[in-house]
Amino acid sequence: MKKNLILVLNCGSSSLKFSLIKPETGETLLSGLAERLMSDQASITIKYQEQVSQSVLLPPFDHQIAIARLVESLASYELHSAIFAVGHRVVHGGESYCTPTLITEDVKYIIDDLSRLAPLHNPANLTGITAAEAVFPDLPQVAIFDTAFHQSMPEKAYLYGIPYSLYREHGIRRYGFHGTSHYFVAQQAAKRLNKRDNETNFISAHLGNGCSICVIKSGKSADTSLGLTPLEGVMMGTRSGDVDPGVIFHLVDQLGYSIGQVSHLLNKESGLLGVSGLSNDCREIENEWINNNNLRAKLALDVFCYRIAKSIASYSASLTSLDALIFTGGIGENSMLIRENIVNQLSLLNLVISKEKNEKCRFGQSGSINSDGSRNIFVIPTNEEWVIAEQTAQLLSQQTENQE
Ligand code: ADP
């Protein structure tokens, strides 16, 4: 059988997302999700063509069991001998990795070492790598880092205004995340404009449960809103985004919070959830505002949109021209209300929305949503899995060429 498919794995601490992809076209042959891993509720859902099968997982309910179940399924559909590599999403590559990387023992050591900067993500990503190596010992495994695209940021964008020694000695700087998504939508936007990516300047807003804004200058990330950790920047589903660091001292010194409680508050209880007091899910909050006239829901949406609009406007400081503002992510791809609210605060940048076009770009439909005479505003569904598959295949073909 022709080996022309890449298995893409995105491993979280209790979840595993997977897709089997043809790298040249992005066609997804099989996809799915294992959830609630490491608990006796662990289950796996696999989608192949029109069939969706869900099954419980057996003890020890871990990533290895989930991958073993996936492999059984791949074999039953006679797909697994067509796989020629596994591409892994790895969250933190620090300053060590700015390109796709073939995973070796040394690379695993560095991913593990970088767990000090991403304690929730890198250990889970390594678990996925180890589990995949065990079932596919003969296949190359490639890491695509979420931070890699942002390694082009200049020093003035990635340094904090704190003693320089903390950067030199401890790596405390801004790294940024969602790099694969910002890269993908910028590439797609350049294609829409019939330009080479190094001839384009964009601001892209990835708005999902996690949110980040990125300014892309001549095809490269020049600045982004997430920092040392995915807590900085705009407000998100449950994360606060930027707060005065004095808030933390106040919580600890005046209100008796422990550092663990502050971390939980800012990461899990803030954002849309914290302000609305209702939910972190944008759909539910919009529904409460539109159908029940819930003013706390409206307030949460207003704070969310204002903070995003401010962030977008601030990135005009890095640019002398702007080809388009791009919306992506679950909220950016679907919410007419959020897009309209944000763009209405950006008329100074000559960004004006068309109500009619805004209504059309939803549920996977890409397009332009600006009115005539406005600067371009694009909605582009992201596809991080395709980027991982494509970059994995490209790296391996370059290595084969180099060997020949
Ligand atoms: P993640 O960051 O976990 O990948 P997604 O990119 O899937 O998340 O985005 C999830 C967010 O997208 C949720 O807040 C959800 O409410 C929002 N969303 C999805 N569909 C819609 C919709 N039709 N209207 C408004 N928000 C939506």
Side-chain angles (χ1 to χ4, degrees):
M1 179 182 267
K2 194 172 169 218
K3 287 192 177 289
N4 61 349
L5 303 177
I6 302 276
L7 179 63
V8 174
L9 297 182
N10 179 355
C11 198
S13 54
S14 62
S15 69
L16 173 74
K17 280 191 203 158
F18 47 86
S19 318
L20 189 63
I21 295 185
K22 249 188 208 160
E24 309 83 44
T25 59
E27 185 190 348
T28 302
L29 283 93
L30 177 145
S31 62
L33 172 69
E35 292 175 281
R36 294 180 291 274
L37 296 174
M38 314 315 291
S39 84
D40 58 8
Q41 308 281 303
S43 67
I44 186 165
T45 307
I46 299 177
K47 196 171 156 204
Y48 173 62
Q49 293 175 346
E50 295 308 307
Q51 306 164 33
V52 180
S53 68
Q54 195 178 25
S55 51
V56 293
L57 290 169
L58 299 174
F61 313 114
D62 60 0
H63 298 78
Q64 192 78 54
I65 288 285
I67 292 190
R69 177 74 195 81
L70 167 63
V71 171
E72 273 170 33
S73 191
L74 291 169
S76 73
Y77 298 127
E78 295 183 357
L79 289 168
H80 95 298
S81 44
I83 302 172
F84 71 97
V86 185
H88 295 266
R89 174 184 181 220
V90 179
V91 166
H92 221 305
E95 289 186 334
S96 305
Y97 298 110
C98 56
T99 50
T101 303
L102 188 67
I103 298 174
T104 60
E105 288 306 311
D106 286 351
V107 173
K108 281 195 283 182
Y109 176 84
I110 294 175
I111 294 174
D112 188 30
D113 184 48
L114 288 166
S115 295
R116 66 197 147 79
L117 296 175
L120 299 179
H121 296 98
N122 274 30
N125 301 152
L126 260 185
T127 305
I129 292 169
T130 315
E133 283 175 338
V135 284
F136 298 110
D138 301 326
L139 294 187
Q141 314 270 334
V142 174
I144 310 295
F145 296 91
D146 231 26
T147 47
F149 182 55
H150 302 301
Q151 277 297 300
S152 48
M153 283 195 284
E155 266 182 323
K156 68 176 179 186
Y158 71 66
L159 284 180
Y160 289 113
I162 59 176
Y164 191 66
S165 57
L166 287 170
Y167 163 58
R168 297 298 298 169
E169 289 161 30
H170 301 285
I172 299 182
R173 52 158 281 181
R174 310 184 60 257
Y175 290 94
F177 301 89
H178 293 148
T180 346
S181 175
H182 290 297
Y183 165 80
F184 178 77
V185 297
Q187 294 268 315
Q188 297 296 310
K191 276 186 201 152
R192 275 190 82 89
L193 296 171
N194 274 327
K195 287 186 171 180
R196 274 202 276 258
D197 57 354
N198 62 5
E199 294 169 343
T200 51
N201 297 322
F202 299 115
I203 296 176
S204 91
H206 176 110
L207 310 178
N209 280 315
C211 300
S212 67
I213 315 300
C214 180
V215 56
I216 298 144
K217 200 170 172 180
S218 306
K220 294 191 165 137
S221 171
D223 201 353
T224 190
S225 59
L226 295 171
L228 174 74
T229 74
L231 188 54
E232 192 180 336
V234 296
M235 178 170 133
M236 309 178 216
T238 61
R239 284 176 247 159
S240 60
D242 291 339
V243 292
D244 175 353
V247 170
I248 298 171
F249 310 136
H250 191 86
L251 289 169
V252 173
D253 294 340
Q254 306 296 323
L255 302 180
Y257 278 63
S258 69
I259 286 296
Q261 286 169 327
V262 175
S263 168
H264 194 263
L265 178 95
L266 297 179
N267 279 294
K268 306 273 184 202
E269 296 174 343
S270 296
L272 286 171
L273 172 66
V275 180
S276 71
L278 293 166
S279 166
N280 64 322
D281 191 301
C282 187
R283 280 165 295 201
E284 280 182 42
I285 302 175
E286 286 189 9
N287 184 44
E288 271 297 310
W289 159 232
I290 295 164
N291 297 320
N292 299 333
N293 201 28
N294 184 323
L295 294 179
R296 277 276 294 284
K298 175 170 176 3
L299 182 63
L301 296 172
D302 282 348
V303 179
F304 182 73
C305 293
Y306 176 58
R307 289 185 158 243
I308 291 167
K310 268 204 303 189
S311 176
I312 291 170
S314 73
Y315 284 134
S316 61
S318 331
L319 296 174
T320 48
S321 70
L322 175 64
D323 291 291
L325 168 66
I326 308 167
F327 285 104
T328 192
I331 298 174
E333 291 166 27
N334 294 298
S335 173
M336 303 181 295
L337 192 87
I338 297 278
R339 294 188 304 230
E340 186 177 349
N341 188 330
I342 294 170
V343 174
N344 283 348
Q345 301 179 68
L346 293 169
S347 52
L348 258 184
L349 293 180
N350 188 25
L351 291 161
V352 185
I353 208 154
S354 152
K355 264 186 180 294
E356 202 182 306
K357 291 183 191 166
N358 191 26
E359 280 169 22
K360 289 192 183 135
C361 288
R362 304 182 74 197
F363 313 124
Q365 180 63 51
S366 64
S368 117
I369 58 168
N370 53 283
S371 60
D372 295 346
S374 156
R375 212 184 281 280
N376 290 313
I377 310 171
F378 297 150
V379 173
I380 301 182
T382 194
N383 193 336
E384 291 157 278
E385 290 76 16
W386 185 10
V387 176
I388 294 173
E390 208 177 22
Q391 294 192 343
T392 298
Q394 276 165 3
L395 175 74
L396 296 173
S397 85
Q398 275 161 15
Q399 291 199 330
T400 314
E401 273 170 31
N402 293 345
Q403 279 160 11
E404 281 167 3

